[in-house]
Every structure is written in structure tokens, then in C-alpha cells.
Amino acid sequence: MTTTTGTAAVTPSVGAAHTRVEGREKVTGAARYAGEIPFADLAHGWLVVSTIARGRILAVETEPVEAMPGVLTVLHHGNAPQVDGSYVGLLGKPDPTITLFQTDRVPFVGWPVALVVAETPEQAREAAEALVVRYDEEPHDIAFSAGRPGTYVPEGSQAETAKGDIEAGLAAAAVVVDSEYTTPEEHHAMMEPHAATARWEGGRLEIVDSNQGSMWVADELAKMFSLDLGSVRVRSEHVGGGFGSKGVRPHQVAAVMATTVLHRPVRVVLTRRQMFSITGYRSPTVQHVRLGADADGRLRAFDHQAQSLTSTVHEFIERSADYGRAMYDADAHHTVNRVVALDVPTPTFVRAPGEAPGSFALESALDELAEKCGLDPIALRARNEPEAGPVSGLPYSTRRVIDCFEEGARRFGWADRDPRPGLRREGRWLLGTGTAAATFPSNAMPSTAAVTAEPDGTFTVRITAADIGTGARTALTQIAADALEVEPSRIHMRIADSDFGQAMIAGGSMGTRSWAWAVTSAAKELREQLALGGGIPEEGLTARSNTAEAIGALAQKERHSFGAQFAEVAVDAATGEVRVRRMLGIFAAGRIVNPLTAQSQLRGGMVWGLSMALHEEAVRDGAFGGHVGPDLAGYHVAAHADVPPIEVGWVDDPDPEDPVGIKGIGEVGIVGAAAAVANAVWHATGVRHRHLPIRPDRVLLAGTAPGGDGDA
């Protein structure tokens, strides 16, 4: 199919595989990241963080450090600029962790207590490590366990939903699953660390940063430092991964404080160890799932209770129990998220927040239910397909879960599977296969964009989007090209500059959908202007859009991407080692703009799910309250040798109410992947593992005899 502009035939770009428009710059090193961009007269800041988990700062002994070579200043609670922490930003009130140096209180290990600024990063680090901070240490509490004292249901957060009588439903059920599942603390661990450079230029505060939303960062810094939004500019051209972590963090605030004091550019880059304590993480969870069903597997009672932790200074909820609210229905249906405040850093959004750990628990429980009912796990899910949102009662925009399972089963060879566990062997390896469903919300948020027709026949698109490695810049180029009916080579895509106006952040699988809506709206307006004739002036002809009204007019529906995950594993009966041999994910995730980058995103999510199942686990030492091994040597993630062939596909699933048909793919790839691996381990060994990660010692402790229980 082709479209025409004038006499030129143009092949549609959306739906075609397109290499990244910035790919050459990235592979040749020409693309510079936030910590690499040169500035004249640049100074370097190094954060000093607390070594105690609770108490007060008694003294910061700055004089010896200020006399060290190259040291320019040491900022701390006794001399730092005052900031406003009472404002309400995009995500509510700020975590006090980012309102630096405003108090002598220390609420967790790793709390920022000082910033040393010097001429070079080496001088700053040496001085920071020499800085003596004296504390009045208090007893701390970091012990997380199910139902421990202090656990509560957060108010005003839709933390709990209920209909019907759960206890009666369970009592009347022919088959019951009643199990507890746990997931550990997990970290983003993106390749590029958090980095920001701040300077005052022409009366404006400018920040070059690595973030997931430049306008988001600009707005919060303006509020915090009592500035007009127009006097703050934030740019973030290239980002080496975010996964929910790169919002407003202490390094940006520290850089702004230092440049304000020193009147010269200041860069602050966080170390990997600092990232473990002050840039957020996924809370550990304890999840209690109770399912009651008829003998034929039809759900009659559904109870998912989840517990996570938060800090004592800011509430964040890992909403694991939300997962089932759109997936499975029952006459009696109850979900609740509980939280407990401990002397630990504040958790934050991590790829598929809530859905990733929630799907592990619930999709594992459904596999247990299928076993007890003597049903194929896919047949069980097909039998429990809801007609409307189980909690909301709203219709689905589209829901093709079973189509994903059917296509996945065909491609995976599921029909040849013997459902009995512990039967397949290759030498010392026990073999098994497992499956699980996946879902993640697909929404859109208001955004603005500008599209300019240039005199040379090209078009410049300006939008405060963020490409955090997803390929968003390329997808938007393709979308703009089709909206303007030109080749992608005629599009100049400019993103990640707060001067371009308000736009959705890269988060919640809403970025590309929200930005695409704004770009297509501006392109439509521009084409209407061009159709009037009159030519293009020397400065170009520009059309602007704001999608607030259009998105606000959408009818309420359950809008989600869906998927089906499949995994095959081999378990060494002698060592307990688990090897994933192959994975397949089939998704219903709207219209796929760029198959090349879409496969990359979905496959990356599945790799993370594998890593979640077998490797990732941050451990805290109860004695001092901090991490054991807060680095990529102590915190294990899946390496190349751990990753098998991973096949990704999708079924046709355009959203009829979206101008491009987009949903979201950034997070649905991780959802259900860990459960598919865990279910495959059960099929291989006959032993259920309800606690992640499935380490070799846990496999050995639980044994590999069918009927065993991984709770050991």
C-alpha cells in the first residue's frame, strides 16, 4: 500500500522494521550521554551518604577536607541552600530524600549527608571519602515479614477492592489453592548511572540530565527552588536505561545547589553503590493467594493479598495485588495491598511495578489450580475469561489473551506436552515447560507537540519525549512521516528538551502512545495549513497540538496490553542449577509501529523476567541496615550465558480509539515471565517453588521428587 503527496508515492512507515535513527551515533560513540558532555570551567560533585540506618548527624568535619587539593566547597545540612519540599509534583509530594541537606535526621543507610565539590572527579571522590561525619546512632528496624506489626492498608489509594463473601466462596469450592509467595528486593541496574550537570546561563538554570521526562524534572526543580518554570531548562538527549528510576533524584538537586553557590557548572554522577540506596528499587513482597474453584476449574473465590515495604519518610506501594483486578473474575473477589514502614530507602517504580511480582504469585497459583483440577493451564485460563473488568465492570477496549495463548501454544509445541511432572530427562537434566499470562495497563496522557514545515522540504518535530533506549525517537519519526505522508528521511525528530512544552514522561507504557497522539494531531493541523497555499516562510510554518481535550473525552474502558509467556527449563538434579532453554512470548499490544525495536523491548522484558526468576536478589544485613554487595558483583543479573533463544511475536490488536492504534509494549514483556519459568521448574521436578529467586540451594533443599514443596 502506498500513499501520495503531490506526485510522489510514499510507502507507509508505521509497521515497517526501521533501524534506529540515532543508531550510527550510538555505535560510533558520537552520541554523548549526560555524564560525557563537556562544559568550560566544569566542577565535579561527589555525594557522601550515611553509614548508619537511623539517628542524627552530630557533626560534619569539613575543615580538613576543604584544605585538600582542588576542593571548592562542602555542602551539608548546616550550610546548604534551603529548598521547598512541600510542593505537589507529578507524582504527589516529593520524597524527602531529594530535598537534600535540610535536616540532621538520618532515616536509612545511604541517606545523602554532604556533597563535596572539587575541580576534578578524582579530587572530589578522594575528599568525599576522607570526610568525617559523626552520628548519634539509634536502633533501627529493617525486618520485613508477612503481617508484622505496623503493617497497614494505605488510605485513599484504592489499595483494597472487594465483592462477595470470600470465606463462604472458599468453603463452598470443590478445589482450593491457598499459598504464599515471596519476591525479594530488586534493582533497576541500568547501564548508564544517574548523572546531571547544572549551570546558570543568561539568567536561566540549565540542567543536562539523564531522565525519563525533561519537563517533569524541570517542573519539580522549579518548585523546589522557587523559580518560574520558564527560567528552568532541562535536556536529556540520550539515556542509557531508566526502567522507572530516572525521575527527580538527589544528584540533580545537588548539582543545582552547587552551581548556585559556586557560580560555575557542576556535574554530579552517582556511583553504582549510591544508586542502590538513593534512586529507588522494587520492594520485596509477601503475597497470599487463595483461589476457590468448581471441579471444572471455574473460579468462585479469588483472594490476592500483597504486602510490601516503604521508608519512614515517604510512602510508596508496590501494588502487586492490582494484577488480578483486570485479569480474572469470581463471584467473591478480594484484592488488597498492605505496606509497612521500615528504616530503609524509599522504593519506587521498577519495570511493570506491581504487575511483575503480582503476576509471579497469581500465575503460579493458577498453575497450581490447573494441576489440582486436572486441567491444562491454558484451558483453565480460557475457562475463566471475563466479559468485563472483574472489579471495574467496564468493557475492554480489546482483549486477546486466549488468541495469544493459542498462537503461542502452536509455535511452542504445547500440544505435545505430557502434563505429568518429573518425567522428561536428558542425562542428569530434568526438563519441563511452563506458561503464564501477561497484562499491563495501556493508557494515554495529555501531551503537546509542534511540527514545522521547513523551506527545504523537511519537517521538524519538537516534543518533550524521552528515549530511554526503547527506540521512541525512531517510532515517532515513523509516525510523523506517515502523518505527513513523506519519507522518514524528511523528518527531523527533536526530543527531550523541556523548552518544547508539556508531554508525558517515559513511564507506565504510556510514552509512545501519548507522544504519537500529539505528533499526529500537530501534523494534521500543519497539513491543513499547507493545503491553504501561500508557501512556506523562511522561518518555516509551524502547527502545535495539545491532546488534553481529546484524551479527556475518551470513554472509560479497561485498556490493557496482554500476552502469553512460555518457557522450557532444564534442572540439574545433582547441583540444583536451573537453565532456561528457550522462551516464547506472544503479545496483543496494539499496532506495532516498528517490529525491530518492538521485538527488542519485548525480548528485553522477558530476559528481565528470567533474571527475576533465577538470579536477582538484593540482601540487607540486619545488623547495620544496609546492603550486602550493593554492586553488580554482589547483585546478580542474567548474563549472556544465561539467556537462551527467545522468540517474540504478536497478534493483530490495534486500539480502535487511538489515532495510530497503539497500546504499550515497554512493560508487558516482563509480566508473567518469571511465573512461566517457575511453572516450568515445577513441571521438570514436580516441586513448587514459591519464593524467588529459584537458587540452586533452594532446589537442592526442596528436592526434585514429584510432589515436593519449594517452601522448604
Side-chain angles (χ1 to χ4, degrees), residues 352-628:
E355 275 76 7
S359 64
F360 164 67
L362 188 48
E363 294 296 323
S364 296
L366 282 162
D367 206 66
E368 296 193 44
L369 182 64
E371 177 197 357
K372 288 190 172 186
C373 292
L375 286 173
D376 179 86
I378 297 176
L380 176 76
R381 288 168 173 83
R383 193 156 294 175
N384 286 285
E385 268 292 277
E387 295 182 358
V391 172
S392 69
L394 296 172
Y396 292 94
S397 59
T398 64
R399 181 183 168 109
R400 299 197 61 188
V401 180
I402 302 306
D403 294 321
C404 291
F405 273 113
E406 290 175 349
E407 176 64 11
R410 182 187 67 80
R411 290 169 61 167
F412 195 74
W414 188 261
D416 299 329
R417 177 184 190 257
D418 188 326
R420 295 173 297 173
L423 296 182
R424 289 179 60 201
R425 266 189 180 269
E426 284 184 5
R428 71 178 193 270
W429 296 96
L430 298 166
L431 306 183
T433 53
T435 190
T439 188
F440 196 80
S442 174
N443 296 309
M445 294 294 286
S447 297
T448 62
V451 181
T452 300
E454 308 289 358
D456 63 0
T458 64
F459 298 85
T460 302
V461 179
R462 295 176 177 85
I463 183 167
T464 313
D467 192 333
I468 59 175
T470 59
R473 182 187 276 104
T474 306
L476 291 175
T477 297
Q478 294 174 263
I479 290 163
D482 278 10
L484 294 164
E485 296 189 355
V486 300
E487 297 290 349
S489 60
R490 290 173 62 185
I491 303 295
H492 301 300
M493 182 61 57
R494 297 187 59 192
I495 65 172
D497 187 332
S498 62
D499 276 358
F500 296 160
Q502 183 63 49
M504 176 58 188
I505 65 173
S509 293
M510 291 185 277
T512 299
R513 181 177 184 182
S514 301
W515 306 323
W517 201 318
V519 168
T520 54
S521 296
K524 179 182 178 182
E525 173 64 25
L526 179 62
R527 290 188 63 189
E528 291 174 355
Q529 292 183 32
L530 291 171
L532 297 176
I536 299 174
E538 184 177 349
E539 68 275 12
L541 183 65
T542 298
R544 305 181 187 278
S545 68
N546 185 331
T547 62
E549 183 177 351
I551 289 174
L554 286 172
Q556 285 192 315
K557 290 185 179 180
E558 290 279 0
R559 293 183 171 85
H560 304 264
S561 293
F562 295 99
Q565 302 271 15
F566 295 81
E568 179 178 351
V569 305
V571 182
D572 190 322
T575 68
E577 178 187 5
V578 179
R579 287 272 180 184
V580 178
R581 288 196 164 185
R582 61 186 176 114
M583 296 182 77
L584 168 68
I586 301 294
F587 301 94
R591 188 180 181 192
I592 301 301
V593 176
N594 185 341
L596 191 63
T597 53
Q599 284 189 350
S600 176
Q601 279 297 290
L602 294 167
R603 186 177 289 113
M606 293 169 70
V607 169
W608 199 340
L610 179 160
S611 193
M612 175 182 175
L614 303 181
H615 302 287
E616 297 193 38
E617 181 181 25
V619 178
R620 292 185 180 272
D621 186 317
F624 79 97
H627 286 112
V628 176

Side-chain angles (χ1 to χ4, degrees), residues 122-403:
E122 293 81 9
Q123 291 171 332
R125 178 176 185 173
E126 182 181 11
E129 291 175 348
L131 183 67
V132 174
V133 181
R134 302 196 183 280
Y135 303 96
D136 177 15
E137 189 171 2
E138 301 170 4
H140 62 263
D141 181 5
I142 67 163
F144 178 69
S145 61
R148 56 150 290 162
T151 299
Y152 63 95
V153 178
E155 295 182 3
S157 61
Q158 296 183 319
E160 187 166 14
T161 65
K163 68 177 182 181
D165 188 328
I166 286 291
E167 301 306 328
L170 289 168
V175 183
V176 173
V177 169
D178 186 337
S179 297
E180 184 177 275
Y181 306 84
T182 67
T183 61
E185 179 180 323
E186 299 166 351
H187 287 259
H188 306 81
M190 75 292 295
M191 291 182 67
E192 181 204 19
H194 296 65
T197 303
R199 65 173 180 171
W200 288 94
E201 183 72 17
R204 297 186 79 196
L205 176 62
E206 292 195 355
I207 297 98
V208 175
D209 188 27
S210 177
N211 65 50
Q212 293 179 229
S214 294
M215 179 57 83
W216 174 23
V217 175
D219 180 65
E220 299 230 358
L221 290 177
K223 289 182 169 70
M224 196 180 305
F225 286 91
S226 302
L227 300 170
D228 292 332
L229 181 57
S231 65
V232 181
R233 184 186 187 189
V234 177
R235 291 176 290 149
S236 184
E237 182 71 12
H238 298 291
V239 181
F243 308 119
S245 172
K246 286 185 174 172
V248 184
R249 296 294 176 194
H251 65 293
Q252 299 134 328
V253 179
V256 174
M257 285 182 169
T259 194
T260 300
V261 169
L262 295 174
H263 308 291
R264 59 187 286 189
V266 177
R267 173 172 294 155
V268 179
V269 180
L270 298 185
T271 68
R272 182 67 59 181
R273 284 177 170 260
Q274 289 170 350
M275 288 164 59
F276 270 78
S277 62
I278 56 176
T279 64
Y281 57 96
R282 196 193 305 278
S283 167
T285 72
V286 177
Q287 300 178 62
H288 187 189
V289 179
R290 297 187 297 169
L291 304 176
D294 294 341
D296 65 358
R298 296 182 189 278
L299 285 168
R300 299 306 181 191
F302 178 103
D303 183 29
H304 188 176
Q305 303 184 41
Q307 180 183 333
S308 61
L309 60 73
T310 190
S311 70
T312 59
V313 295
H314 188 73
E315 184 181 86
F316 182 87
I317 311 160
E318 184 71 26
R319 305 180 65 95
S320 303
D322 287 16
Y323 173 78
R325 295 178 181 179
M327 283 298 288
Y328 303 108
D329 202 359
D331 296 334
H333 196 288
H334 175 243
T335 67
V336 62
N337 294 292
R338 298 185 177 94
V339 70
V340 60
L342 301 174
D343 299 318
V344 296
T346 309
T348 192
F349 305 97
V350 181
R351 195 175 197 173
E355 275 76 7
S359 64
F360 164 67
L362 188 48
E363 294 296 323
S364 296
L366 282 162
D367 206 66
E368 296 193 44
L369 182 64
E371 177 197 357
K372 288 190 172 186
C373 292
L375 286 173
D376 179 86
I378 297 176
L380 176 76
R381 288 168 173 83
R383 193 156 294 175
N384 286 285
E385 268 292 277
E387 295 182 358
V391 172
S392 69
L394 296 172
Y396 292 94
S397 59
T398 64
R399 181 183 168 109
R400 299 197 61 188
V401 180
I402 302 306
D403 294 321

Side-chain angles (χ1 to χ4, degrees), residues 88-115:
V88 177
L90 177 67
L91 302 178
K93 287 190 174 182
D95 183 343
T97 309
I98 68 171
T99 56
L100 296 182
F101 316 140
Q102 304 298 295
T103 176
D104 63 356
R105 289 293 310 173
V106 173
F108 56 78
V109 170
W111 173 265
V113 296
L115 178 76

